[in-house]
Amino acid sequence: MILSWVCSNSVIAMKHILPILTITTLAAAASAQTAAASASGLSYNRAGLSYNTDKAAGDNGYSLSVEALIGSTNIWVAGTANLNSAGEDTVALGYVFKNVAAGIDATVAVSSDDTYGIILRRSLNEVIAGLEARLVYARSEGSVSTDGFTYELAYNINKQFQLAVSVEDTDGAGNETSVTVRYNF
């Protein structure tokens, strides 16, 4: 009698364990897929308006920028138009390597003004929700070769709007500061 009760309860328990394991496995897989799809949480489809202060040349002014990933690929295109001076507009093409290490996305890019470089971006949600950091190294080849770094700290006000402050340091001169408002699309 006891043996029959143990056997019947074991069969009932086994009938419930299989659906529970299936649901648990499916939930874990869905959670992992969602985390992988938005591992960095960074938007690459955005447009921005910047106010730039160029301390070396006294050329303060505005610029427009647009960047996007082509389709669902990691191919990145960008363009910048300086609204003050003619001839300082650029177009760039790159490839985004997502989540290279520690949540950092790395973009290798070349641009129309004989410049190539690397862009490192990371979400800093563990510090403050919506915070993001960006480091850019650019090498410009031409009549005069220059190396430059851009350091940026940005805050995502919501999913659509971002406010960023950046400092561009070309050949150690530390000559340009920008405040940018971006729209993520």
Side-chain angles (χ1 to χ4, degrees):
M1 176 112 156
I2 293 176
L3 183 61
S4 142
W5 179 81
V6 168
C7 289
S8 67
N9 283 340
S10 296
V11 170
I12 292 171
M14 291 298 270
K15 286 181 182 179
H16 291 283
I17 285 177
L18 187 58
I20 290 171
L21 287 174
T22 304
I23 291 170
T24 305
T25 304
L26 290 173
S31 174
Q33 184 178 16
T34 302
S38 62
S40 66
L42 301 172
S43 173
Y44 285 95
N45 300 324
R46 56 197 191 158
L49 174 65
S50 299
Y51 178 72
N52 313 305
T53 59
D54 188 349
K55 294 183 176 123
D59 185 26
N60 299 341
Y62 293 93
S63 62
L64 287 173
S65 61
V66 176
E67 65 180 270
L69 292 178
I70 296 175
S72 61
T73 67
N74 287 5
I75 297 173
W76 174 82
V77 293
T80 302
N82 189 332
L83 301 178
N84 297 11
S85 307
E88 293 186 22
D89 303 337
T90 60
V91 180
L93 179 67
Y95 189 85
V96 179
F97 297 92
K98 293 188 179 180
N99 200 16
V100 174
I104 297 172
D105 287 2
T107 304
V108 179
V110 296
S111 73
S112 60
D113 58 352
D114 293 331
T115 302
Y116 59 91
I118 186 165
I119 303 166
L120 303 175
R121 287 180 64 197
R122 186 178 191 282
S123 172
L124 299 174
N125 285 330
E126 66 275 7
V127 177
I128 295 175
L131 195 62
E132 177 183 316
R134 183 173 83 141
L135 172 66
V136 178
Y137 168 74
R139 172 111 177 129
S140 182
E141 297 289 338
S143 59
V144 177
S145 295
T146 60
D147 290 312
F149 286 94
T150 301
Y151 312 94
E152 180 180 278
L153 199 58
Y155 179 70
N156 293 303
I157 298 166
N158 55 35
K159 288 188 179 211
Q160 265 72 44
F161 292 99
Q162 181 184 72
L163 182 62
V165 176
S166 62
V167 175
E168 183 179 327
D169 184 14
T170 304
D171 286 335
N175 59 353
E176 187 169 298
T177 303
S178 298
V179 176
T180 306
V181 176
R182 292 190 183 106
Y183 176 75
N184 298 319
F185 56 90

mmCIF file of all heavy atoms in Angstrom, residues 50 52-54 57-64 80-90 176:
data_model
loop_
_atom_site.group_PDB
_atom_site.id
_atom_site.type_symbol
_atom_site.label_atom_id
_atom_site.label_comp_id
_atom_site.label_asym_id
_atom_site.label_seq_id
_atom_site.Cartn_x
_atom_site.Cartn_y
_atom_site.Cartn_z
ATOM 1 N N SER A 50 25.414 70.171 -32.526
ATOM 2 C CA SER A 50 26.479 70.481 -31.574
ATOM 3 C C SER A 50 26.819 71.954 -31.599
ATOM 4 O O SER A 50 26.768 72.604 -32.649
ATOM 5 C CB SER A 50 27.752 69.704 -31.918
ATOM 6 O OG SER A 50 27.536 68.327 -31.853
ATOM 7 N N ASN A 52 30.201 73.989 -30.813
ATOM 8 C CA ASN A 52 31.626 73.725 -30.645
ATOM 9 C C ASN A 52 32.350 75.011 -30.256
ATOM 10 O O ASN A 52 32.082 76.064 -30.819
ATOM 11 C CB ASN A 52 32.238 73.213 -31.959
ATOM 12 C CG ASN A 52 31.394 72.140 -32.584
ATOM 13 O OD1 ASN A 52 31.089 71.147 -31.962
ATOM 14 N ND2 ASN A 52 30.972 72.357 -33.820
ATOM 15 N N THR A 53 33.283 74.901 -29.327
ATOM 16 C CA THR A 53 34.158 76.018 -29.008
ATOM 17 C C THR A 53 35.577 75.596 -29.342
ATOM 18 O O THR A 53 36.121 74.680 -28.748
ATOM 19 C CB THR A 53 34.076 76.405 -27.521
ATOM 20 O OG1 THR A 53 34.449 75.289 -26.730
ATOM 21 C CG2 THR A 53 32.686 76.857 -27.147
ATOM 22 N N ASP A 54 36.151 76.235 -30.320
ATOM 23 C CA ASP A 54 37.517 75.943 -30.748
ATOM 24 C C ASP A 54 38.424 77.030 -30.188
ATOM 25 O O ASP A 54 38.507 78.126 -30.718
ATOM 26 C CB ASP A 54 37.592 75.909 -32.280
ATOM 27 C CG ASP A 54 38.936 75.413 -32.780
ATOM 28 O OD1 ASP A 54 39.867 75.301 -31.962
ATOM 29 O OD2 ASP A 54 39.044 75.140 -33.979
ATOM 30 N N ALA A 57 41.579 78.294 -32.618
ATOM 31 C CA ALA A 57 41.314 79.108 -33.808
ATOM 32 C C ALA A 57 40.229 80.151 -33.585
ATOM 33 O O ALA A 57 39.991 80.983 -34.446
ATOM 34 C CB ALA A 57 40.918 78.196 -34.969
ATOM 35 N N GLY A 58 39.558 80.122 -32.435
ATOM 36 C CA GLY A 58 38.474 81.060 -32.190
ATOM 37 C C GLY A 58 37.276 80.824 -33.091
ATOM 38 O O GLY A 58 36.488 81.721 -33.334
ATOM 39 N N ASP A 59 37.139 79.603 -33.609
ATOM 40 C CA ASP A 59 36.088 79.264 -34.559
ATOM 41 C C ASP A 59 34.952 78.557 -33.830
ATOM 42 O O ASP A 59 34.791 77.357 -33.926
ATOM 43 C CB ASP A 59 36.663 78.388 -35.680
ATOM 44 C CG ASP A 59 35.648 78.106 -36.771
ATOM 45 O OD1 ASP A 59 34.718 78.920 -36.940
ATOM 46 O OD2 ASP A 59 35.787 77.077 -37.444
ATOM 47 N N ASN A 60 34.170 79.302 -33.068
ATOM 48 C CA ASN A 60 33.029 78.727 -32.373
ATOM 49 C C ASN A 60 31.887 78.571 -33.360
ATOM 50 O O ASN A 60 31.754 79.357 -34.289
ATOM 51 C CB ASN A 60 32.586 79.628 -31.228
ATOM 52 C CG ASN A 60 33.679 79.811 -30.193
ATOM 53 O OD1 ASN A 60 34.614 79.024 -30.120
ATOM 54 N ND2 ASN A 60 33.571 80.863 -29.409
ATOM 55 N N GLY A 61 31.058 77.572 -33.153
ATOM 56 C CA GLY A 61 29.938 77.434 -34.063
ATOM 57 C C GLY A 61 29.172 76.151 -33.896
ATOM 58 O O GLY A 61 29.408 75.380 -32.971
ATOM 59 N N TYR A 62 28.269 75.919 -34.827
ATOM 60 C CA TYR A 62 27.372 74.773 -34.782
ATOM 61 C C TYR A 62 27.727 73.765 -35.862
ATOM 62 O O TYR A 62 28.254 74.125 -36.913
ATOM 63 C CB TYR A 62 25.927 75.245 -34.993
ATOM 64 C CG TYR A 62 25.415 76.082 -33.861
ATOM 65 C CD1 TYR A 62 25.518 77.470 -33.906
ATOM 66 C CD2 TYR A 62 24.846 75.485 -32.750
ATOM 67 C CE1 TYR A 62 25.049 78.244 -32.857
ATOM 68 C CE2 TYR A 62 24.371 76.254 -31.701
ATOM 69 C CZ TYR A 62 24.484 77.635 -31.759
ATOM 70 O OH TYR A 62 24.020 78.395 -30.717
ATOM 71 N N SER A 63 27.396 72.504 -35.571
ATOM 72 C CA SER A 63 27.544 71.457 -36.585
ATOM 73 C C SER A 63 26.403 70.462 -36.436
ATOM 74 O O SER A 63 25.850 70.290 -35.352
ATOM 75 C CB SER A 63 28.898 70.753 -36.471
ATOM 76 O OG SER A 63 29.018 70.112 -35.223
ATOM 77 N N LEU A 64 26.055 69.856 -37.548
ATOM 78 C CA LEU A 64 25.054 68.796 -37.577
ATOM 79 C C LEU A 64 25.757 67.481 -37.849
ATOM 80 O O LEU A 64 26.699 67.428 -38.644
ATOM 81 C CB LEU A 64 24.037 69.043 -38.692
ATOM 82 C CG LEU A 64 23.039 70.146 -38.491
ATOM 83 C CD1 LEU A 64 22.216 70.353 -39.767
ATOM 84 C CD2 LEU A 64 22.118 69.825 -37.333
ATOM 85 N N THR A 80 29.108 64.604 -40.955
ATOM 86 C CA THR A 80 29.093 65.818 -40.147
ATOM 87 C C THR A 80 29.164 67.016 -41.071
ATOM 88 O O THR A 80 29.970 67.038 -42.000
ATOM 89 C CB THR A 80 30.287 65.844 -39.173
ATOM 90 O OG1 THR A 80 30.229 64.692 -38.342
ATOM 91 C CG2 THR A 80 30.255 67.078 -38.296
ATOM 92 N N ALA A 81 28.342 68.000 -40.806
ATOM 93 C CA ALA A 81 28.350 69.248 -41.573
ATOM 94 C C ALA A 81 28.603 70.402 -40.616
ATOM 95 O O ALA A 81 27.841 70.617 -39.670
ATOM 96 C CB ALA A 81 27.017 69.444 -42.283
ATOM 97 N N ASN A 82 29.705 71.109 -40.858
ATOM 98 C CA ASN A 82 30.021 72.295 -40.070
ATOM 99 C C ASN A 82 29.192 73.443 -40.622
ATOM 100 O O ASN A 82 29.295 73.786 -41.796
ATOM 101 C CB ASN A 82 31.518 72.596 -40.167
ATOM 102 C CG ASN A 82 31.947 73.677 -39.206
ATOM 103 O OD1 ASN A 82 31.168 74.546 -38.840
ATOM 104 N ND2 ASN A 82 33.193 73.607 -38.793
ATOM 105 N N LEU A 83 28.369 74.056 -39.801
ATOM 106 C CA LEU A 83 27.454 75.094 -40.273
ATOM 107 C C LEU A 83 28.105 76.470 -40.378
ATOM 108 O O LEU A 83 27.498 77.395 -40.889
ATOM 109 C CB LEU A 83 26.226 75.161 -39.371
ATOM 110 C CG LEU A 83 25.415 73.861 -39.288
ATOM 111 C CD1 LEU A 83 24.246 74.018 -38.340
ATOM 112 C CD2 LEU A 83 24.943 73.423 -40.657
ATOM 113 N N ASN A 84 29.362 76.621 -39.917
ATOM 114 C CA ASN A 84 30.061 77.913 -39.967
ATOM 115 C C ASN A 84 30.977 78.032 -41.166
ATOM 116 O O ASN A 84 31.028 79.044 -41.824
ATOM 117 C CB ASN A 84 30.930 78.120 -38.725
ATOM 118 C CG ASN A 84 30.118 78.174 -37.480
ATOM 119 O OD1 ASN A 84 28.951 77.859 -37.493
ATOM 120 N ND2 ASN A 84 30.735 78.552 -36.396
ATOM 121 N N SER A 85 31.775 76.990 -41.399
ATOM 122 C CA SER A 85 32.834 77.073 -42.406
ATOM 123 C C SER A 85 32.555 76.115 -43.553
ATOM 124 O O SER A 85 32.062 75.021 -43.358
ATOM 125 C CB SER A 85 34.177 76.697 -41.784
ATOM 126 O OG SER A 85 34.408 77.476 -40.639
ATOM 127 N N ALA A 86 32.923 76.536 -44.732
ATOM 128 C CA ALA A 86 32.794 75.658 -45.897
ATOM 129 C C ALA A 86 34.006 74.735 -45.954
ATOM 130 O O ALA A 86 35.097 75.095 -45.552
ATOM 131 C CB ALA A 86 32.720 76.490 -47.168
ATOM 132 N N GLY A 87 33.803 73.529 -46.431
ATOM 133 C CA GLY A 87 34.912 72.607 -46.640
ATOM 134 C C GLY A 87 35.290 71.754 -45.458
ATOM 135 O O GLY A 87 36.230 70.985 -45.535
ATOM 136 N N GLU A 88 34.592 71.862 -44.331
ATOM 137 C CA GLU A 88 34.928 71.051 -43.172
ATOM 138 C C GLU A 88 33.924 69.923 -42.946
ATOM 139 O O GLU A 88 33.856 69.365 -41.868
ATOM 140 C CB GLU A 88 35.028 71.925 -41.926
ATOM 141 C CG GLU A 88 36.193 72.885 -41.981
ATOM 142 C CD GLU A 88 36.368 73.649 -40.685
ATOM 143 O OE1 GLU A 88 35.889 73.184 -39.638
ATOM 144 O OE2 GLU A 88 36.980 74.713 -40.724
ATOM 145 N N ASP A 89 33.147 69.587 -43.947
ATOM 146 C CA ASP A 89 32.173 68.504 -43.845
ATOM 147 C C ASP A 89 32.889 67.180 -44.061
ATOM 148 O O ASP A 89 33.825 67.084 -44.848
ATOM 149 C CB ASP A 89 31.077 68.678 -44.890
ATOM 150 C CG ASP A 89 30.382 70.022 -44.762
ATOM 151 O OD1 ASP A 89 30.425 70.613 -43.666
ATOM 152 O OD2 ASP A 89 29.808 70.491 -45.756
ATOM 153 N N THR A 90 32.443 66.142 -43.345
ATOM 154 C CA THR A 90 33.071 64.823 -43.468
ATOM 155 C C THR A 90 32.016 63.732 -43.595
ATOM 156 O O THR A 90 30.885 63.884 -43.138
ATOM 157 C CB THR A 90 33.965 64.491 -42.258
ATOM 158 O OG1 THR A 90 33.173 64.501 -41.075
ATOM 159 C CG2 THR A 90 35.105 65.465 -42.119
ATOM 160 N N GLU A 176 39.144 71.824 -28.402
ATOM 161 C CA GLU A 176 37.730 71.980 -28.748
ATOM 162 C C GLU A 176 36.840 71.277 -27.737
ATOM 163 O O GLU A 176 37.073 70.129 -27.387
ATOM 164 C CB GLU A 176 37.458 71.425 -30.140
ATOM 165 C CG GLU A 176 36.044 71.708 -30.606
ATOM 166 C CD GLU A 176 35.833 71.408 -32.078
ATOM 167 O OE1 GLU A 176 36.492 72.041 -32.916
ATOM 168 O OE2 GLU A 176 35.020 70.534 -32.358
#
